[in-house]
């Protein structure tokens, strides 16, 4: 393991120096049960105050004769009352704002990103506060393999993994023993790359796979347990840390602050077995590369990813849950050797993670991540330092090299043109579209190992630039053997279709409304993201992201990313703070430029921000389909669409079905219609309000004439239990020049009365008959009938295009 040989070389010398200098274990005080060393790099503006709050939380508990809480805290120059680096024995104090413990040493400005600073502090703490057990807790921004502790005052220097190895080797060598416990109150540190470094130097560690909420660990909830039972071991302490953290953000004082959080207790004695299993898996996967390349790509593309909520951030950190990736790979792979090696690695990972707690949003996580950029282009853009800074991860680097090399060999750059891979066949039913006449875009893909397909709708401005008003991934769903739904695109020629609602997202604080673009959250399919700039009331600003819940369409979290940070951090908005979304422009050469919206900012207040959809601005749009494959090659095709949303009734939106050749209106606020194909090949479109108390069903039939369809209508009604209707109540109607019949009826469901109306119509040009069925609870009959009449009054029919669309 790392550092073990070097530690043995220096341990005798360091102990000799300590003895000669008269510094023995009992030179300063009696030996306590525990000394916990807090190394706090609060020299980072965006999280300085929460980290100082942590020190106050520790003071709230306070050291005892049995337990020493020793801290070295570095601060920024933002608060002139304290800008230097100070050392404390944190004594009990109930002032929640000021650190009142005696300053044992004032060191001036210290570079906390220098491993020598960590060594100096730890040896000082052990010398002056000897104990039977030692714990080390490092606090600041974390970046997995990229390091921890970015010191803002010292050019954002951080402790890299190699430097951490060096520091821990020197500290434990001097102590003559490993730490009992090492904790990281920091983001993204539960990574194989980090565990490999820690394994020789501690028995247990606690770390997070995901970014941590801004408050970090709740020390005032954790540490009293240690004071009550100083004899507890490191495993018990670690479990308390994990459980208190989970309680704090789930049911405790910070409940609702963040919905993505986890913490994990790791048994470092099991890391050797994990490393051996990782080596075996990498070798087996490389030996069977031809069989599993696509399976690896799809598994990686659908795995839980940590490190931020936007695609760019997740590409930068590329921290993938190891077990989730391997589980998907076993589902997708057809190679028994690879499956066996993946399962052995899963089993090894299970032995390493002793205890885990996570939020519901991270339920697919398992406690250990691995650095795994999704394609070679992303690795080249963000991972250039990886082979240098984690030279000890040779096995995993070899795996990445094999995967990227095989991907490029399978789809060499330039081997396929955009014309070959993606082709928009047409926009139906016409090129002038609106919220009432939404376009169905039909396009072909004919590629290999396609992993992502997305669309963008960009309005062309008078100066020729383009502004993106809507974009979204297009998903092709597949269910794995274990029942998980994943995104997967078949190889070869596929004809696809999707409908654009001719709308644009608008974010609002209730007073100001700003068109924006919703970004997909790769770690949470139930969230959407808006990028922009956050302005605090004190004049500071930072790049930030609003996280919206799709169901409620309201902001659940705000994340910031500063230039000095390696990972995003939680922002707690205060009344009066503001946010301005980013607009995305493209010039005539296709270069993207991010510009803050030309608008008054949104202002945080009592009610959360929300988003809604409004009709897209009228004008000429460039509609782009983007395809990306396993090697990171990108293919594009585009078409021009004219949007005319002027003077339309925005209480309703349109639904277009190019397979049946029909278009109709339904209420704007209702969910999108659902199209179902039964096992017998028949189809049904269901349109319902949120509560499913008003439902309209559209069924299509092969028929010869109107009389046959009317007979089908009566048979349809007779299949409804407790139905009641009178043929004398039939109403003739004419729709789009075709004669039809409406049959009112009633029925009940479990004793609750309901009202129905069934339209029967035959369209000779399509050689198709339709039944449009209203089903509404009796109390909402008037509303349901109004929606039904609007819908059938808006129906128009057209000849379906001759395309064979893959379902």
């Amino acid at each position: 393991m790392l550092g073990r040989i070097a530690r043995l070389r220096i341990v005798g010398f360091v102990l000799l120096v300590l003895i000669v200098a008269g510094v023995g274990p009992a030179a300063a005080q009696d030996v306590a049960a525990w000394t916990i060393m807090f190394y706090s790099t609060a020299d980072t503006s965006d999280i300085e105050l929460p980290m100082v709050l942590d020190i106050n939380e520790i003071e709230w508990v306070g050291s005892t004769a049995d337990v020493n809480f020793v801290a070295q805290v570095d601060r920024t120059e933002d608060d002139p009352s304290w800008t230097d680096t100070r050392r404390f024995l944190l004594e009990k104090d109930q002032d929640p704002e000021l650190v009142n413990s005696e300053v044992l040493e004032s060191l001036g400005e210290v570079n906390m990103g220098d491993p020598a600073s960590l060594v100096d502090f730890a040896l000082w703490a052990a010398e002056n506060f000897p104990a039977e057990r030692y714990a080390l807790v490092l606090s600041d921004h974390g970046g997995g393999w990229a390091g921890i502790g970015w010191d803002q005052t010292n050019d954002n220097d951080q402790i890299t993994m190699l430097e951490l190895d060096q520091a821990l080797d020197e500290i434990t060598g001097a102590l003559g023993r490993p730490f009992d416990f090492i904790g990281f109150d920091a983001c993204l540190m539960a990574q194989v790359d980090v565990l490999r470094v820690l394994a020789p130097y501690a028995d247990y560690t606690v770390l997070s796979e995901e970014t941590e909420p801004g408050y970090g660990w709740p020390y005032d909830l954790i540490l009293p347990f240690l004071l009550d039972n100083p004899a507890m071991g490191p495993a018990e302490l670690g479990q308390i840390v994990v459980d208190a953290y989970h309680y704090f953000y789930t049911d405790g004082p910070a409940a609702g602050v963040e919905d993505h959080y986890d913490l994990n207790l790791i048994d470092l004695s099991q890391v050797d077995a994990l490393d051996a299993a990782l080596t075996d898996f990498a070798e087996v996967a490389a030996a069977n590369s031809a069989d599993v390349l696509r399976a690896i790509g799809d598994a990686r593309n659908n795995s839980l990813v940590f490190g931020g909520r936007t695609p760019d951030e997740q590409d930068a950190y590329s921290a993938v849950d190891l077990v989730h990736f391997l589980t998907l790979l076993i589902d997708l792979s057809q190679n028994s050797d690879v499956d066996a090696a993946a399962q052995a690695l899963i089993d090894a990972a299970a032995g390493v993670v002793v205890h885990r707690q996570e939020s519901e949003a991270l339920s697919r996580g398992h406690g250990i991540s691995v650095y795994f950029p999704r394609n070679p282009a992303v690795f080249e853009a963000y991972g250039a330092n990886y082979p240098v800074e984690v030279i000890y991860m040779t096995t995993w680097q070899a795996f990445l090299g094999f995967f990227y090399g095989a991907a490029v060999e399978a789809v060499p750059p330039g081997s396929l043109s955009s014309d070959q891979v993606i082709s928009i066949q047409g926009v139906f039913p016409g090129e002038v579209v609106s919220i009432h006449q939404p376009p169905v875009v039909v396009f072909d893909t004919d590629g290999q190992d396609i992993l992502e397909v997305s669309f963008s709708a960009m309005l062309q401005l008078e100066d020729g630039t383009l502004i993106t008003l809507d974009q979204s991934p297009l998903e092709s769903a597949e269910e794995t053997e274990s029942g998980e739904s994943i995104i997967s695109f078949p190889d070869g020629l596929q004809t696809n279709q999707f409908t654009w609602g001719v709308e644009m997202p608008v974010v609002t604080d209730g007073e100001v409304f700003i068109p924006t673009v919703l970004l997909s959250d790769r770690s949470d399919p139930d969230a959407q993201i808006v990028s922009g700039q956050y302005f605090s009331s004190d004049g500071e600003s930072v790049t930030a992201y609003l996280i919206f819940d799709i169901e409620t369409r309201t902001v659940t979290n705000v994340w910031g990313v500063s230039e000095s940070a390696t990972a995003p951090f939680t922002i707690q908005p205060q009344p009066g703070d503001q946010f301005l979304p980013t607009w995305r422009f493209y010039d005539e050469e296709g270069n993207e430029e991010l510009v803050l919206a030309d608008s008054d900012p949104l202002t945080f207040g009592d009610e959360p921000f929300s988003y809604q959809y409004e009709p897209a601005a009228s004008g000429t749009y460039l509609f782009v389909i983007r395809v990306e494959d396993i090697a990171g090659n990108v293919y594009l095709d585009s078409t021009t669409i004219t949007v005319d949303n002027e003077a339309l009734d925005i209480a309703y939106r349109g639904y277009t079905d190019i397979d049946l050749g029909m278009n109709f209106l339904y209420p704007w606020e209702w969910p999108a219609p659902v199209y179902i194909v039964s096992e017998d090949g028949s189809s049904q479109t269901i349109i319902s309000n949120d509560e499913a108390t008003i439902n309209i069903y559209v069924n299509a039939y092969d028929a010869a004439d109107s009389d046959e369809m009317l007979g089908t209508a009566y048979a349809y009604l007779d299949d409804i239990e407790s139905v009641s209707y009178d043929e004398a109540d039939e109403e003739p109607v004419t729709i789009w020049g075709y004669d039809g019949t409406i049959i009112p009826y009633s029925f009940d469901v479990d004793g609750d009365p309901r009202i129905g109306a069934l339209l029967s119509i035959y369209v000779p040009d399509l050689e198709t008959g339709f039944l449009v069925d209203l089903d509404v609870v009796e109390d909402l009959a008037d509303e349901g009938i109004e929606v039904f009449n609007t819908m059938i009054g808006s129906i128009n029919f057209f000849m379906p295009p001759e395309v064979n669309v893959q379902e």
Side-chain angles (χ1 to χ4, degrees):
M1 287 189 180
L2 282 174
R4 183 161 287 167
I5 295 175
R7 185 174 68 194
L8 292 174
R9 284 202 305 267
I10 68 169
V11 61
F13 172 77
V14 174
L15 288 177
L16 177 62
V17 170
L18 292 176
I19 292 171
V20 171
V23 183
Q29 65 170 50
D30 293 336
V31 176
W34 279 90
T35 290
I36 301 184
M37 310 170 188
F38 296 94
Y39 190 74
S40 179
T41 310
D43 198 346
T44 312
S45 294
D46 46 58
I47 60 171
E48 178 181 16
L49 294 182
M51 291 181 68
V52 174
L53 176 61
D54 288 342
I55 301 302
N56 276 286
E57 290 174 355
I58 300 168
E59 276 192 325
W60 190 270
V61 180
S63 301
T64 67
D66 293 319
V67 180
N68 300 309
F69 301 135
V70 187
Q72 177 167 307
V73 185
D74 185 22
R75 296 193 62 179
T76 70
E77 298 179 357
D78 295 343
D79 184 349
S81 67
W82 173 13
T83 63
D84 57 342
T85 303
R86 298 180 179 182
R87 287 175 175 170
F88 304 90
L89 173 67
L90 296 171
E91 303 281 9
K92 188 172 181 63
D93 171 63
Q94 295 189 334
D95 185 336
E97 297 181 356
L98 297 178
V99 177
N100 292 313
S101 296
E102 179 184 355
V103 179
L104 300 184
E105 290 191 13
S106 179
L107 305 176
E109 174 53 42
V110 170
N111 179 6
M112 298 284 278
D114 184 344
S117 299
L118 175 58
V119 173
D120 186 61
F121 164 64
L123 295 184
W124 171 86
E127 173 188 346
N128 289 279
F129 304 97
E132 296 173 3
R133 298 184 185 275
Y134 290 110
L136 173 65
V137 179
L138 296 95
S139 301
D140 188 34
H141 287 298
W145 65 266
I148 184 171
W150 274 254
D151 191 315
Q152 179 176 305
T153 309
N154 291 278
D155 297 324
N156 293 319
D157 191 16
Q158 91 278 20
I159 297 177
T160 66
M161 287 300 99
L162 292 179
E163 290 174 336
L164 182 62
D165 175 60
Q166 170 192 337
L168 294 177
D169 179 64
E170 188 170 346
I171 295 166
T172 57
L175 296 178
R177 46 172 282 192
F179 282 98
D180 296 272
F181 176 93
I182 295 179
F184 288 88
D185 191 357
C187 300
L188 305 172
M189 299 306 290
Q191 203 168 66
V192 175
D193 315 71
V194 179
L195 302 185
R196 285 282 310 280
V197 170
L198 298 180
Y201 309 121
D203 296 331
Y204 290 89
T205 184
V206 168
L207 333 85
S208 173
E209 278 192 283
E210 184 55 284
T211 51
E212 286 193 351
Y215 292 122
W217 293 8
Y219 295 99
D220 52 338
L221 300 181
I222 296 167
L223 298 179
F225 288 94
L226 185 60
L227 266 57
D228 290 342
N229 180 21
M232 74 169 59
E236 185 178 355
L237 174 60
Q239 183 164 331
I240 289 170
V241 173
V242 171
D243 290 342
Y245 181 89
H246 185 71
Y247 164 78
F248 183 68
Y249 291 107
T250 303
D251 300 306
V257 167
E258 174 55 60
D259 56 2
H260 280 54
Y261 51 90
D262 75 297
L263 210 58
N264 309 276
L265 172 62
I266 303 295
D267 182 353
L268 291 171
S269 70
Q270 301 300 310
V271 171
D272 273 350
L274 177 71
D275 187 43
L278 185 69
T279 297
D280 183 60
F281 166 75
E283 291 174 350
V284 172
N288 295 274
S289 59
D291 293 341
V292 296
L293 176 64
R294 177 58 184 267
I296 291 174
D298 275 341
R300 164 59 182 86
N301 199 47
N302 288 277
S303 294
L304 181 62
V305 182
F306 308 100
R309 308 294 289 271
T310 68
D312 286 347
E313 288 174 337
Q314 292 188 351
D315 277 347
Y317 308 118
S318 294
V320 173
D321 185 85
L322 177 62
V323 172
H324 190 216
F325 161 69
L326 295 168
T327 303
L328 289 173
L329 179 59
I330 291 173
D331 276 350
L332 299 172
S333 165
Q334 302 298 316
N335 186 289
S336 59
D337 291 338
V338 171
D339 293 351
Q343 186 59 56
L345 183 50
I346 290 173
D347 295 341
V352 171
V353 182
V354 176
H355 185 56
R356 169 178 171 82
Q357 293 270 29
E358 76 282 328
S359 62
E360 183 178 352
L362 298 182
S363 60
R364 295 176 299 165
H366 296 81
I368 302 175
S369 70
V370 65
Y371 181 63
F372 194 173
R374 57 192 175 87
N375 62 46
V378 174
F379 181 77
E380 182 177 345
Y382 295 104
N385 290 336
Y386 185 69
V388 177
E389 295 194 10
V390 287
I391 55 175
Y392 51 91
M393 290 290 290
T394 54
T395 296
W396 187 249
Q397 290 184 23
F399 169 79
L400 294 179
F402 124 70
F403 173 63
Y404 300 142
V408 170
E409 183 177 346
V411 196
S415 61
L416 295 173
S417 66
S418 288
D419 292 344
Q420 292 174 287
V421 176
I422 171 67
S423 176
I424 297 176
Q425 298 300 306
V427 178
F428 303 97
E431 291 185 356
V432 177
V433 302
S434 68
I435 56 170
H436 287 184
Q437 193 83 9
V440 178
V441 180
V442 178
F443 65 95
D444 288 344
T445 56
D446 189 6
Q448 181 178 344
D449 298 326
I450 293 173
L451 294 184
E452 294 186 3
V453 181
S454 62
F455 88 90
S456 298
M458 295 181 280
L459 175 64
Q460 183 172 317
L461 304 180
E462 291 182 1
D463 62 0
T465 59
L466 298 165
I467 179 172
T468 304
L469 293 184
D470 199 8
Q471 68 179 38
S472 179
L474 304 177
E475 300 181 354
S476 175
E478 173 185 320
E479 189 168 291
T480 68
E481 292 181 2
S482 61
E484 183 168 350
S485 180
I486 65 169
I487 300 170
S488 181
F489 297 91
D491 290 341
L493 180 61
Q494 305 289 323
T495 300
N496 315 271
Q497 66 169 260
F498 79 98
T499 302
W500 181 43
V502 200
E503 58 195 5
M504 59 185 182
V506 174
V507 62
T508 178
D509 59 4
E511 299 290 336
V512 177
F513 296 79
I514 307 176
T516 187
V517 172
L518 295 176
L519 305 174
S520 298
D521 184 342
R522 284 180 173 159
S523 65
D524 187 352
D526 296 325
Q528 296 272 29
I529 300 167
V530 171
S531 65
Q533 196 77 9
Y534 184 93
F535 301 91
S536 60
S537 54
D538 62 7
E540 297 292 326
S541 68
V542 66
T543 299
Y545 300 93
L546 305 179
I547 313 298
F548 289 88
D549 178 85
I550 285 181
E551 184 175 348
T552 64
R553 295 186 178 180
T554 58
V555 166
T556 58
N557 305 102
V558 183
W559 282 90
V561 180
S562 68
E563 293 182 1
S564 62
T566 184
F569 57 91
T570 304
I571 295 175
Q572 302 298 329
Q574 301 300 312
D577 291 354
Q578 296 182 318
F579 180 87
L580 195 55
T582 301
W583 283 347
R584 295 167 183 258
F585 292 90
Y586 292 84
D587 61 22
E588 294 179 350
E589 285 73 41
N591 300 310
E592 183 182 49
E593 182 181 7
L594 303 184
V595 178
L596 289 178
D598 183 13
S599 168
D600 292 334
L602 307 174
T603 302
F604 289 93
D606 294 334
E607 296 298 322
F609 296 165
S610 62
Y611 75 84
Q612 61 196 43
Y613 283 96
E614 295 185 357
S618 297
T620 300
Y621 283 72
L622 186 68
F623 203 91
V624 180
I625 305 289
R626 181 184 185 275
V627 175
E628 184 173 322
D629 65 26
I630 196 170
N633 299 312
V634 174
Y635 313 92
L636 303 171
D637 193 19
S638 62
T639 189
T640 300
I641 296 176
T642 300
V643 170
D644 185 2
N645 276 328
E646 301 301 318
L648 296 180
D649 181 1
I650 62 172
Y652 284 85
R653 67 173 71 217
Y655 174 77
T656 301
D657 188 324
I658 66 169
D659 296 318
L660 298 178
M662 69 183 307
N663 169 271
F664 56 79
L665 299 181
Y666 68 98
W668 178 273
E669 296 299 333
W670 283 21
V674 177
Y675 181 75
I676 299 174
V677 178
S678 302
E679 292 182 358
D680 62 4
S682 62
S683 65
Q684 183 180 64
T685 301
I686 304 173
I687 309 99
S688 302
N689 63 354
D690 283 320
E691 299 79 19
T693 51
I694 304 175
N695 307 284
I696 299 175
Y697 308 97
V698 180
N699 301 273
Y701 300 85
D702 292 330
D705 52 36
S706 297
D707 291 339
E708 182 179 348
M709 273 310 303
L710 194 56
T712 300
Y714 290 133
Y716 177 93
L717 290 173
D718 291 340
D719 283 340
I720 300 175
E721 188 174 347
S722 72
V723 71
S724 174
Y725 65 91
D726 189 336
E727 295 183 15
D729 294 332
E730 295 176 2
E731 302 176 20
V733 294
T734 300
I735 297 174
W736 203 250
Y738 305 111
D739 294 332
T741 303
I742 295 178
I743 307 171
Y745 68 96
S746 62
F747 67 111
D748 66 80
V749 176
D750 298 328
D752 295 326
R754 302 179 79 95
I755 301 298
L758 183 65
L759 166 67
S760 170
I761 191 168
Y762 176 70
V763 182
D765 294 342
L766 302 178
E767 298 181 350
T768 303
F770 297 91
L771 294 182
V772 181
D773 178 24
L774 168 67
D775 159 24
V776 55
V777 297
E778 188 174 54
D779 292 344
L780 297 176
D782 290 344
E783 181 182 348
I785 290 171
E786 179 182 351
V787 170
F788 179 74
N789 288 336
T790 300
M791 173 185 168
I792 65 175
S794 69
I795 291 178
N796 62 74
F797 301 99
F798 58 89
M799 290 301 297
E802 295 183 2
V803 294
N804 181 24
V805 177
Q806 304 294 321
E807 299 294 348

